[in-house]
Amino acid sequence: MSAIQGARERARAEVTAAIKEEARRQVAREGAVKLSLRAVARELGMVSSALYRYFPSRDDLLTALIVDAYDALGAAAEGALATADGREPLERWSAVCRAVREWALAHPHEYALIYGSPVPGYSAPQATVVPASRVALALLTVVLDAHAAGALRAPEGAVVPEAVGADARALAGTLGIELPEAALTGFTAAWAQLFGLVSFEVFGQFNKVVEAREEFFAHAVAALGRATGLPWTSQSD
Amino acid sequence: MSAIQGARERARAEVTAAIKEEARRQVAREGAVKLSLRAVARELGMVSSALYRYFPSRDDLLTALIVDAYDALGAAAEGALATADGREPLERWSAVCRAVREWALAHPHEYALIYGSPVPGYSAPQATVVPASRVALALLTVVLDAHAAGALRAPEGAVVPEAVGADARALAGTLGIELPEAALTGFTAAWAQLFGLVSFEVFGQFNKVVEAREEFFAHAVAALGRATGLPWTSQSD
DNA sequence: GCAAAGCAAGAGCACCGCTCTCGTTGTTGG
DNA sequence: CCAACAACGAGAGCGGTGCTCTTGCTTTGC
C-alpha cells in the first residue's frame, strides 16, 4: 500500500498483522465465539492490555477479520471468474459458485463469520460493504457479459412488481450497469439463493438429506444460472 | 404430556419453564452470545449454581431454546399450510414461505439461533432433527399434493446426476413418499434457497440492495415454486 | 535536547461458566 | 410413622473473560 515511514510505524503494522493472524487462527480452529483477546495476547507473548493499542475492542478485531474473510472469499470468486474467462456463461457462473462453495467448506468458521449470524451489533460496519460485494459482482459480471452478447434470455414467470422493479432500476443506476429489471431482480434472488445452498451444506442442514454434496450443488447451481437467464447447451450441467 | 405426580415434580417443571422463558427473553433481546446463566438466575431470584440442577450447562440451555425455536417456526409454517388449505399449489407454497419469513423477521435472534452459525459444537444434537424438519415437511406437502393431483410439472433443465438421484430415492424411501427424483431434488434445492432469501433479509445482506422486501420475497418465492414444478395461473404471483 | 506522543506492563474491576460443599426439605420404603 | 435417601437452594471459590487505569520507558518531531 503506502510506504512505511519509521521503525515505529513498521513495528505497528507488523504487530497488527500478527494479532490478526493469530486471531484468525483461533477463529478457524474454534469459531468466533471462542476468540479471546487474552489468548491472542498470550500466544504473542504480550500482555492483554497492550493489545488495546491496536484494536480498541474485541468487536473491532472481529470486524477486521470479517473484512479479511469477505476479501478472501471475494478473491476466490474473482479468481474463478478469471480462470473461466472465455467459456460459456453457464460454465463461468458455475465456476464462481463452485469457488464460493469450496472456500466456504475450507474455511467454515470464517464463512460463518460473514454469512452466519451477525455477532457484533446488527448493522454491518461500513467498512465491510465493499469487500462483501465482490462475490456478487463476480457473479453479476457473468450475467452482464451474457446480456452484452445478446445471449441473456428473459426470465419466464410473472411480471416484476413495480416496487421491485424500482429497486432494480435504482441498483442498476448505482452500479452504472444496464440490465433489464427482470434480469437484475432474478439475479439478486439467485445471489441470495446461492448462499442458501452453501450455508445449508456448511452448517450441516443437509446431513442425512444430501450425501452427494458436490454433484447436488453443481446441479442446483446450474439450474440457478438457467433460471437467471443464462443460455445453456443441452449437455452442460 | 404425562400427569405430574408430586409437588416436587410440578415445581421442577415450572422452574424449568421459567428458566427457558427468561433465557428466551434474553436471547430475543441481546442474541445468543449474550445469554448468561448468571443473569437468568439473577432475574429469577435464584443463585446461579441452583440453575445447574435444571440444565447441566449453558449449551444445554441453548439447545433447549434451539428445539423450541425450530418448533415455533415449524408451527408457524404448518399453521400457514392449514390456513391455505384447498387453494392453488403455488398459493399454498407462497403462504408457507411467507410464514417462515414473517416468523424470522419477528424473531431475528431466535432465527439466527437455528439458521445462523451453529454455536455449540458442530453437529446438531439428535433432539433437534425432528423439529427442524417441520418446515421442510410443510413445504413438501404442497409439492406432494400437487404431484398426487397430477399437476406437478417435470422440472426443466439438465438430467439429474446419478448420485444425486440416488440420494433422492433414499430420501423418498426414508420419508415413505413417492416423488420423481428430479422433483425431489429440485425441492431440496428450493428448500435451501428459501432460507438463503430469508437469511439475507434477516441478516442485513439486502441493505441498500432490496428495499421493497416483501414484494421481492413474494416474487422470488413464487419463482422458486414454479421452478420446483408447481403449476401456476397467469396472474398468480 | 526536550517535550510530546506512543508503547508495554501490571493491577484491578466486574462479569462469566462451572464445581464443590453444606444445611434443608420433600419423597418413599420398611 | 419415621428413618434413609434424593433433590434442592445457597454460598464460596476457581480460572477465565473484556476492559480500564496508572506507571514508567522509548521513540518521534520540533
Side-chain angles (χ1 to χ4, degrees):
Chain A
M1 307 300 174
S2 59
I4 295 178
Q5 307 247 352
R8 185 154 244 171
E9 293 182 29
R10 182 201 309 275
R12 181 173 182 86
E14 277 176 12
V15 174
T16 304
I19 291 171
K20 280 210 299 190
E21 193 184 340
E22 176 59 32
R24 177 163 39 248
R25 194 163 21 235
Q26 286 194 19
V27 167
R29 195 181 333 118
E30 308 240 44
V33 176
K34 297 288 190 65
L35 172 64
S36 149
L37 289 189
R38 291 182 113 110
V40 169
R42 208 179 303 130
E43 207 68 27
L44 263 50
M46 41 166 76
V47 91
S48 71
S49 61
L51 212 143
Y52 285 82
R53 299 270 174 198
Y54 301 89
F55 294 93
S57 80
R58 182 180 179 278
D59 278 1
D60 288 87
L61 215 195
L62 262 181
T63 300
L65 294 185
I66 288 173
V67 171
D68 284 4
Y70 273 125
D71 266 324
L73 177 58
E78 287 164 8
L81 183 67
T83 301
D85 193 43
R87 316 195 66 161
E88 281 193 26
L90 198 54
E91 286 184 57
R92 300 176 74 199
W93 171 274
S94 293
V96 174
C97 291
R98 200 182 321 122
V100 170
R101 171 179 178 268
E102 283 168 5
W103 187 92
L105 289 176
H107 309 86
H109 284 120
E110 287 168 82
Y111 178 82
L113 202 59
I114 53 182
Y115 288 105
S117 342
V119 343
Y122 232 119
S123 60
Q126 194 62 22
T128 66
V129 330
V130 170
S133 63
R134 290 175 65 180
V135 170
L137 290 180
L139 283 170
L140 186 54
T141 299
V142 176
V143 177
L144 286 174
D145 287 354
H147 179 249
L152 197 67
R153 290 175 299 104
E156 48 204 51
V159 59
V160 177
E162 169 50 28
V164 176
D167 280 350
R169 285 192 301 274
L171 184 60
T174 303
L175 297 176
I177 61 174
E178 194 110 10
L179 202 62
E181 290 176 15
L184 189 49
T185 299
F187 166 78
T188 305
W191 168 56
Q193 289 166 11
L194 162 65
F195 284 95
L197 291 168
V198 174
S199 292
F200 263 37
E201 181 169 352
V202 174
F203 297 159
Q205 229 87 28
F206 280 154
N207 283 349
K208 308 265 177 186
V209 177
V210 178
E211 299 300 333
R213 306 272 164 86
E214 193 168 343
E215 294 92 328
F216 175 84
F217 182 79
H219 183 69
V221 143
L224 213 46
R226 284 190 289 265
T228 314
L230 298 180
W232 73 93
T233 59
S234 57
Q235 277 309 320
S236 69
D237 188 41
Chain B
M1 309 296 175
S2 59
I4 294 179
Q5 307 245 352
R8 185 155 244 170
E9 292 183 29
R10 181 199 310 273
R12 180 172 184 86
E14 278 177 11
V15 174
T16 303
I19 291 171
K20 281 209 299 189
E21 193 183 339
E22 175 59 32
R24 177 162 40 247
R25 194 159 26 231
Q26 286 195 18
V27 167
R29 195 180 334 118
E30 308 240 44
V33 176
K34 297 288 191 65
L35 172 64
S36 148
L37 289 189
R38 290 182 113 111
V40 170
R42 207 179 305 130
E43 208 68 26
L44 264 51
M46 43 165 84
V47 91
S48 72
S49 61
L51 212 144
Y52 285 82
R53 301 272 177 200
Y54 301 89
F55 294 93
S57 80
R58 181 181 180 277
D59 276 2
D60 288 270
L61 215 195
L62 262 182
T63 299
L65 294 185
I66 288 174
V67 171
D68 284 4
Y70 272 126
D71 266 325
L73 177 58
E78 287 164 9
L81 183 67
T83 301
D85 193 43
R87 315 196 65 161
E88 278 192 27
L90 197 54
E91 285 185 56
R92 299 176 75 200
W93 171 274
S94 293
V96 174
C97 291
R98 198 182 323 123
V100 170
R101 170 179 178 269
E102 284 169 4
W103 188 91
L105 289 176
H107 309 86
H109 283 119
E110 287 168 84
Y111 178 82
L113 202 58
I114 53 182
Y115 288 105
S117 341
V119 357
Y122 232 120
S123 61
Q126 193 62 24
T128 66
V129 328
V130 171
S133 63
R134 289 175 66 180
V135 170
L137 290 180
L139 283 170
L140 186 55
T141 299
V142 176
V143 177
L144 286 174
D145 288 355
H147 179 249
L152 197 67
R153 289 174 301 103
E156 46 204 51
V159 60
V160 177
E162 170 51 27
V164 176
D167 280 350
R169 286 192 300 273
L171 184 60
T174 303
L175 297 176
I177 61 174
E178 195 109 12
L179 201 63
E181 289 176 15
L184 188 49
T185 299
F187 166 79
T188 305
W191 168 56
Q193 289 167 10
L194 162 65
F195 284 95
L197 292 167
V198 174
S199 292
F200 262 38
E201 181 169 352
V202 174
F203 296 160
Q205 230 87 27
F206 280 154
N207 284 351
K208 308 267 177 184
V209 177
V210 178
E211 299 299 332
R213 306 273 164 86
E214 193 168 343
E215 294 92 328
F216 175 84
F217 182 80
H219 183 71
V221 143
L224 213 47
R226 284 191 288 266
T228 314
L230 299 180
W232 72 93
T233 58
S234 58
Q235 275 310 322
S236 70
D237 189 39

